[in-house]
Amino acid sequence: MVKTAILGFGVVGSGVAEVLSGSGNGVSRRPDSLIEVKYILDVRKFPDSPFAPLFVDDFSTIESDPEISVVVETIGGMGAALDFTERALKAGKSVVTSNKELVATHGRRLLDLAAEHGVVYLFEASVGGGIPILRPLSECMAANDILEICGILNGTCNYIFTRMVQDGVTFQEALKGAQANGYAEQDPTADVEGYDTCRKLCILSSIAFGWHMLPEQIPTRGITEITQADEAYAAASGCRIKLLGRAVMGQDGKVTAYVEPHFVPMDNPLASVDDVFNAILLKGDATGDVMFYGKGAGKLPTASAVCADVIAAARKLERAGYRPWQANRPECVGSLDDLSSRWYVRLAHGALADAQRLIYGRVDAAERTYITNQSMTRPQMEALLADLPVLAAIRVLD
Ligand code: HSE
């Protein structure tokens, strides 16, 4: 019997407890995965929970218990989560987490620490919720050079876009729905400003390209400025707006990674990914495009990915870890200013005549919206529109 402790009894932590104890989807009923939850650590009290007898206040109880071989960190953030992760690894316990912020920022150091102590640090749930992606990327695509990652990586943003388009609700109403469903982060700024997508893209890129891509190397724009007018024009021009995390390997071996909302044409499979679903398109030099799809947030999908890692750690798989990555390589980071696209542009009223002179694309006179015919970089587009009252400029995914 492998004994585990869960740190943090929020949406994901409580889901992990349910799944591992068999009161959820029944992992514990499988004969090959005899895993017992021995402790749960949380600063809050849950006297009515069926797990109430398992709660402890002090991490040292877990750290000093030789029976605990796997610790599940679902606290989130970088404070106690980092401290407890380091202490657990140093105490010779494997750590499994859904904490993308911690992995994106300190992943390489924590992987080294785990290796030093003969245990594993696993984080399948940190990207794509319930979608199996890190292990398939590490193992099944190991023979490929990854040429591009392009993904819808935040369930909250995708849920917001879907509700705005399908139900005509405002951004704020849609965000409330995402929070009520347990999709959003504690501070939803991380979702809507794109930081959550940025962290997930760091993790994918680090595994795919073999060196630690840092959050500050990924220019990031969120979705807060998208309006129903933009959504309506996207629909009228055969596109959907999606927040994408993208990392493109250039001919020079540099990787340009960024997070931005995009106009995605309906013939691209990412356009029809709706609601809380995520999708990750990987381009391998041998495989071509491979797409992974599933629920990107929520209690049980995320708990499923955490529990799979607990099982992997518990089985002491020789290769439980993912493809390792080296230290950051600043010289391999490409500049987003060099990446060309077509652009959707929305201008304030009265700017139509000037814009027509400058942009030779499709023009919607009533809405003062445009899609440029020519691909251009953001600096080129901004220079072209310098004197015009631009309300929105969104990249089109070609
Ligand atoms: N807040 C995240 C999302 C949770 O909405 O995708 C899953 O990582």
Side-chain angles (χ1 to χ4, degrees):
M1 175 72 71
V2 169
K3 300 203 178 183
T4 184
I6 299 173
L7 314 181
F9 198 66
V11 173
V12 180
S14 60
V16 172
E18 281 176 29
V19 173
L20 285 181
S21 68
S23 53
N25 280 358
V27 168
S28 68
R29 287 196 290 274
R30 292 193 196 152
D32 61 343
S33 56
L34 298 170
I35 294 161
E36 180 188 315
V37 180
K38 184 169 180 183
Y39 303 115
I40 298 175
L41 179 88
D42 200 294
V43 286
R44 298 161 297 175
K45 304 277 173 242
F46 295 86
D48 300 329
S49 161
F51 301 105
L54 306 184
F55 277 79
V56 292
D57 295 323
D58 187 353
F59 180 69
S60 348
T61 309
I62 296 166
E63 186 180 25
S64 60
D65 185 338
E67 277 194 345
I68 297 291
S69 57
V70 183
V71 171
V72 174
E73 185 271 297
T74 48
I75 301 171
M78 306 255 273
L82 176 58
D83 179 34
F84 295 162
T85 298
E86 287 176 338
R87 284 168 60 185
L89 293 172
K90 285 179 187 165
K93 301 172 193 311
S94 290
V95 176
V96 170
T97 189
S98 55
N99 187 338
K100 47 258 163 163
E101 188 176 2
L102 197 57
V103 180
T105 310
H106 295 288
R108 181 177 138 77
R109 196 168 59 72
L110 295 171
L111 284 166
D112 283 351
L113 193 60
E116 238 173 77
H117 291 86
V119 291
V120 285
Y121 183 50
L122 300 177
F123 36 86
E124 181 65 65
S126 66
V127 180
I131 306 174
I133 174 67
L134 301 187
R135 204 174 295 282
L137 170 60
S138 293
E139 294 181 7
C140 311
M141 294 192 68
N144 286 260
D145 281 341
I146 303 298
L147 306 176
E148 181 171 342
I149 301 166
C150 184
I152 294 170
L153 298 171
N154 185 269
T156 298
C157 291
N158 212 44
Y159 178 88
I160 290 173
F161 284 140
T162 308
R163 298 279 72 81
M164 284 172 77
V165 171
Q166 292 182 4
D167 305 339
V169 303
T170 64
F171 184 96
Q172 285 305 332
E173 286 167 336
L175 173 58
K176 273 190 200 143
Q179 288 175 300
N181 281 312
Y183 302 154
E185 299 297 300
Q186 271 175 359
D187 175 2
T189 312
D191 297 294
V192 298
E193 293 295 355
Y195 309 140
D196 181 77
T197 298
C198 166
R199 291 165 187 153
K200 291 165 176 168
L201 185 61
C202 283
I203 298 169
L204 287 170
S205 298
S206 300
I207 293 178
F209 304 116
W211 49 271
H212 193 159
M213 174 77 77
L214 296 167
E216 56 268 31
Q217 292 171 323
I218 300 186
T220 297
R221 287 171 187 259
I223 65 165
T224 50
E225 285 166 11
I226 305 290
T227 64
Q228 276 156 325
D230 299 320
E231 289 286 7
Y233 189 71
S237 52
C239 295
R240 297 291 296 275
I241 302 180
K242 298 291 176 193
L243 182 68
L244 300 181
R246 224 178 142 208
V248 182
M249 166 73 78
Q251 299 282 352
D252 54 4
K254 290 187 179 180
V255 179
T256 302
Y258 68 100
V259 175
E260 276 180 17
H262 287 67
F263 266 42
V264 181
M266 282 307 293
D267 59 5
N268 186 307
L270 291 172
S272 45
V273 174
D274 279 335
D275 232 305
V276 71
F277 285 86
N278 283 190
I280 302 142
L281 205 95
L282 300 178
K283 194 186 285 291
D285 65 342
T287 58
D289 287 351
V290 179
M291 187 155 132
F292 298 82
Y293 172 83
K295 284 193 177 157
K299 182 172 173 168
L300 291 179
T302 312
S304 156
V306 172
C307 292
D309 275 347
V310 172
I311 293 167
R315 282 181 183 156
K316 298 198 187 337
L317 291 181
E318 236 174 67
R319 293 184 303 119
Y322 317 118
R323 194 193 298 180
W325 64 72
Q326 306 302 314
N328 181 239
R329 290 189 197 149
E331 73 282 8
C332 290
V333 178
S335 168
L336 182 54
D337 280 352
D338 297 335
L339 195 76
S340 285
S341 314
R342 290 186 302 139
W343 294 87
Y344 154 84
V345 179
R346 180 161 56 88
L347 301 172
H349 287 265
L352 183 63
D354 279 346
Q356 276 176 315
R357 277 193 285 111
L358 294 172
I359 304 174
Y360 302 100
R362 190 166 27 169
V363 178
D364 181 323
E367 299 293 335
R368 284 144 177 97
T369 49
Y370 308 79
I371 290 181
T372 63
N373 268 346
Q374 291 168 6
S375 277
M376 58 190 96
T377 63
R378 181 176 282 276
Q380 286 167 338
M381 180 270 294
E382 286 174 348
L384 195 63
L385 300 174
D387 299 329
L388 294 173
V390 177
L391 297 179
I394 301 175
R395 205 183 279 277
V396 178
L397 184 69
D398 287 315

